[in-house]
Amino acid sequence: MTTHGRESLTLDTRLPLLGIAAWSGTGKTTLLEQLLPRLGERGIQVAVIKHAHHGFDVDQPGKDSHRLRQAGAVPMLVASRAGLALMMETPGRDEADLSALIEMVGLHRPDLVLVEGFKAWPLPKLELYRPDLGKPLRAAQDPWIRAVASDVELSLPGDVQWLDLNDLGAITDWIAAWPSRWPAECIPRRPVEEGVR
């Protein structure tokens, strides 16, 4: 088990994970919207886990499922031939449990799980970075960042790859190859003594 602060995660070498980490306003969701169809065209089944920074509800008050959840169903699963939704209250938690979420999506045996947000968790990540936002680059401090996609070329630690954020083809290629690289990449990078290149 690997530990980073209060979060811990057991990485399964059979289930490739890749975090997509970025500051708000960088375009994580927009990039994922563009990448998912391209990865699907290559036959890669991708599950996505998205972090929400606030409370949300996909159920509607007054509906049977909402009434049953309010009555104490843990969890509440609603299914039809068109889809399903699993809803569960998580009172008293400071943060969503990424380990449990990975376990849930892992049951569906995707080829790759992309994790949007959860940037403090110990898992390999692609950092999206736009200097214009005025936020710090995380790659030098986070040993889990494997590549940075930015709209300008950056000085990065020697073992962190730079990708052009405007080159969707190159980013797609890099992510499509991730499952084959996963077993060797599911550990943090070594600390860099010399700093950046």
Side-chain angles (χ1 to χ4, degrees):
M1 181 176 292
T2 52
T3 305
H4 184 299
R6 71 186 198 295
E7 296 91 2
S8 65
L9 200 57
T10 299
L11 300 176
D12 183 340
T13 58
R14 297 165 297 169
L15 182 61
L17 303 173
L18 180 64
I20 307 295
W23 296 103
S24 181
T26 305
K28 296 183 298 291
T29 302
T30 301
L31 179 65
L32 285 173
E33 278 182 307
Q34 296 170 336
L35 286 170
L36 289 170
R38 287 166 174 80
L39 293 167
E41 289 168 3
R42 295 180 187 211
I44 301 170
Q45 183 182 354
V46 181
V48 176
I49 298 172
K50 179 177 173 38
H51 184 265
H53 291 284
H54 44 76
F56 68 96
D57 200 341
V58 296
D59 206 358
Q60 296 177 16
K63 294 290 187 182
D64 291 350
S65 55
H66 187 270
R67 291 170 52 205
L68 294 171
R69 185 163 48 102
Q70 294 299 307
V74 182
M76 178 66 210
L77 178 66
V78 182
S80 74
R81 62 183 171 162
L84 63 86
L86 176 70
M87 294 156 289
M88 185 167 59
E89 302 295 322
T90 55
R93 290 192 185 166
D94 291 337
E95 190 57 68
D97 183 352
L98 183 57
S99 296
L101 300 174
I102 291 168
E103 194 173 314
M104 284 183 208
V105 299
L107 295 173
H108 301 281
R109 298 191 177 133
D111 300 311
L112 172 63
V113 179
L114 295 178
V115 180
E116 182 185 340
F118 294 96
K119 61 183 175 238
W121 283 75
L123 74 151
K125 301 174 192 88
L126 166 63
E127 179 177 5
L128 309 182
Y129 184 72
R130 294 187 189 276
D132 291 350
L133 291 178
K135 300 287 189 176
L137 181 67
R138 297 176 54 91
Q141 289 76 40
D142 186 343
W144 289 98
I145 293 176
R146 299 293 186 205
V148 175
S150 177
D151 49 3
V152 297
E153 198 158 350
L154 303 167
S155 292
L156 298 168
D159 52 356
V160 176
Q161 186 175 352
W162 177 78
L163 300 168
D164 183 345
L165 189 54
N166 298 312
D167 187 345
L168 190 58
I171 296 172
T172 303
D173 290 343
W174 191 86
I175 292 176
W178 185 254
S180 65
R181 295 193 314 266
W182 169 249
E185 299 279 357
C186 60
I187 57 172
R189 300 183 338 257
R190 291 188 197 132
V192 179
E193 293 177 23
E194 296 296 319
V196 294
R197 61 176 155 102

